[in-house]
Amino acid sequence: MRFVLSLVFLVPVIFRVVLCVADEDPIIRHGDIFHPTLGRGGMVVSQDAIASGVGADILSRGGNAVDAAVATGFALAVTLPQAGNLGGGGFMMLYLAEDDRTLAIDYREMAPALAHRDLFLDSAGNVDREKSRFGLLATGVPGTVAGLVHVQEKYGSLPLKEVMQPAIRLAEKGIPVSYALAFSLTRASGRLRQYPASQAYFFRGDGSSLQAGDIWRQKDLAKTLRRIADKGAAGFYQGKTADLIVAAMAAGGGLISHQDLENYRAVERQPVRGTYRGYDILSMPPPSSGGVHLVQMLNILEGWQLAPLEHNSAAYLHRLAETMRRAYADRSQYLGDPDFYPVPLARLTDKGYAGSLRQAIDLDRASNSEDIRPGVQLEEESPQTTHFAVWDDAGNVVSNTYTLNFSYGNGQAVAGAGFLLNNEMDDFSAKPGVPNAYGLVGDEANAIAAGKRPLSSMTPAIVFRDGRPVLVTGSSGGSRIITAVLQVILNYVDFGMNAAEATAAPRVHHQWLPDVLFLEKGVSRDTRDILDAMGHQLDTRAGAISRTQTITRDDGLFQGVTDYRWPGGAAVSPR
Ligand code: DON
């Protein structure tokens, strides 16, 4: 059995429980069901304990995984303002047990009609980072509401109104501010204070910072949520909410128009599929790069026996680093919105192509990223995000990652509507070869164009064995998302770790450029010495790598694990 529980796992949960039970509202008094990380009957795991409780409550009331996921998604928009959102976008992987079908829902933001390829270039042709990251020009047309409403209406079993009720109540009645939220808000306060609407929403009435234990109410957000609950997507993309967004754009020099909002659609896409040592891997296709490179990296790694090398040995980490380097080189050239650019998906996920990349790897020596060009073998073929996962007793699974891009997006709340706007336009390649905020470079495939979706690294994934899901995972962490998801899967498949162990194990990351192998604490000194001698440029100062949310199911028993690297999350099973 893979189930080993660790006490450290419960620490962030326990302090949140203490805060929650102090409140009278039954919706947020979920302290008594935070503890189980093992459960039968289903599991919800997210970065926020209250939101996980909301999802588990929906499962207890007979809702399916989609109902619980949509309830959790809207609850996070209230309880986790740094990443939970109405003003951003994301991706959802959805396994429907009865139909034995997996879907990929793309609700990524779209560039407004007035956007163009040189949007962020100054008169000298240089990228203006201020514009691509912080002003309203950085905001893409939000997709979250379209995505959540779409899946609810098509695959949910309860009315939208019912699954949105908890979020509305949390916004109206208020939530107890956790230490994690107070810390995060304080860290972002400089940016938030620049904008009167953000100052009004994310601070105390007297302008001082919210402190742990305060009750934080969001009346305007509650009204926006009500409009969505009453009218569906039209409650956001048309009428009062749309008017407020467009007014914010007019006041602050943004591009999003009524037409852009009305034109926004979530899209159902074919998942990317791969196999790895007898497991099936299904994940998000472009405009995410996550699924493609997850499968590509697994294909490369499958050619070596990893278990005998042992976890996080120098020999293992060398293979990982060289694999990651090559995948991210391809990412820079070939990945973009498939509605605008012919991504060579079949070739990139082909085992033969992976084999040719593997053969070029020197097992004793680090390569130099300057010598690795994107698509070595390809010929003429045409800081914050959040992941949550839900698994219900009937076997339906949801794996969802959504984001505002940075923590609190561009920091600008829509006056009167109570939610923050994304700065996802920085995920486009503003100019070939010039890195974005995550150090990622891109080219034509990811150039800005009207109506195009920026390339993403978000990697919601579901792993199957013999046709049944066994693990669901995903992460935040910008460019480090794909490699974090990869390592959770490798830890589970190759090293026999349970979900808790697979989460806790130290992670590494390489993304081709910069030519650096990032290591979390916990990789030993002598391992680092060997990697250094092989020619790797090591960086151990980068802190925690990504934040995963994972559920496994084994013999009908669920294990849910929120990442230990940051407090505030919880895995909750229904009563
Ligand atoms: O879509 C992407 O790849 C990025 N906008 C994700 C940003 C992110 O994960 C930041 N947080 N930790």
Side-chain angles (χ1 to χ4, degrees), residues 118-322:
D118 297 336
L119 186 62
F120 298 128
L121 299 188
D122 62 19
S123 51
N126 297 319
V127 176
D128 182 339
R129 282 297 166 214
E130 199 55 29
K131 270 193 189 164
S132 75
R133 292 177 194 176
F134 297 112
L136 284 175
L137 286 183
T139 302
V141 183
T144 294
V145 173
L148 295 183
V149 170
H150 172 82
V151 293
Q152 182 60 37
E153 287 174 348
K154 206 158 162 195
Y155 305 107
S157 70
L158 300 172
L160 179 67
K161 258 197 169 87
E162 194 172 331
V163 300
M164 289 191 66
Q165 196 51 35
I168 295 170
R169 293 179 67 188
L170 290 168
E172 243 165 28
K173 298 206 164 200
I175 55 164
V177 174
S178 66
Y179 287 107
L181 178 55
F183 177 77
S184 163
L185 281 167
T186 302
R187 217 160 59 158
S189 61
R191 185 145 43 98
L192 295 170
R193 279 190 202 283
Q194 288 173 30
Y195 308 104
S198 303
Q199 167 76 49
Y201 292 135
F202 299 105
F203 294 84
R204 285 173 168 170
D206 66 3
S208 62
S209 292
L210 284 159
Q211 301 294 327
D214 284 356
I215 297 296
W216 179 43
R217 295 186 178 79
Q218 300 175 81
K219 300 276 183 204
D220 283 350
L221 178 58
K223 286 184 201 153
T224 299
L225 288 165
R226 260 191 208 293
R227 288 193 288 275
I228 299 166
D230 289 343
K231 301 195 176 110
F236 184 88
Y237 295 95
Q238 295 170 34
K240 172 135 193 202
T241 318
D243 290 346
L244 291 168
I245 296 172
V246 172
M249 292 290 145
L255 300 180
I256 298 173
S257 66
H258 277 289
Q259 201 59 49
D260 287 322
L261 290 166
E262 271 188 45
N263 287 347
Y264 187 87
R265 293 287 176 273
V267 185
E268 291 194 9
R269 300 191 188 272
Q270 284 299 317
V272 170
R273 286 167 187 271
T275 60
Y276 183 67
R277 301 195 206 282
Y279 291 83
D280 292 293
I281 315 292
L282 275 78
S283 188
M284 197 66 210
S288 176
S289 60
V292 170
H293 295 303
L294 175 64
V295 168
Q296 181 187 16
M297 290 190 285
L298 288 169
N299 284 343
I300 297 173
L301 292 164
E302 197 175 37
W304 294 303
Q305 285 307 315
L306 299 178
L309 301 177
E310 298 209 357
H311 187 257
N312 280 4
S313 64
Y316 171 66
L317 293 180
H318 174 68
R319 284 162 176 78
L320 270 193
E322 293 304 316

Side-chain angles (χ1 to χ4, degrees), residues 47 82-83 89-91 108-109 287-290 331 383-386 401-407 423-427 436 438 440 454-459 475-482 546-547:
Q47 202 178 320
Q82 62 267 46
F91 302 124
R108 181 76 163 160
E109 297 89 334
S288 176
S289 60
R331 184 191 190 279
Q384 182 86 24
T385 294
T386 193
T401 318
Y402 72 159
T403 189
L404 291 164
N405 194 22
F406 287 8
S407 216
N423 60 339
E424 219 75 63
M425 296 287 285
D426 188 59
D427 276 351
N436 75 354
Y438 304 101
L440 294 166
L455 182 60
S456 172
S457 301
M458 293 187 285
T459 314
S475 186
S476 59
S479 57
R480 300 163 177 204
I481 293 173
I482 317 172
S546 302
R547 183 169 175 161

Side-chain angles (χ1 to χ4, degrees), residues 269 286-287 335-343 445-446 451-455:
R269 300 191 188 272
L335 269 286
D337 182 344
D339 296 341
F340 284 72
Y341 184 86
V343 178
N446 191 30
K452 192 172 175 183
R453 296 171 195 233
L455 182 60

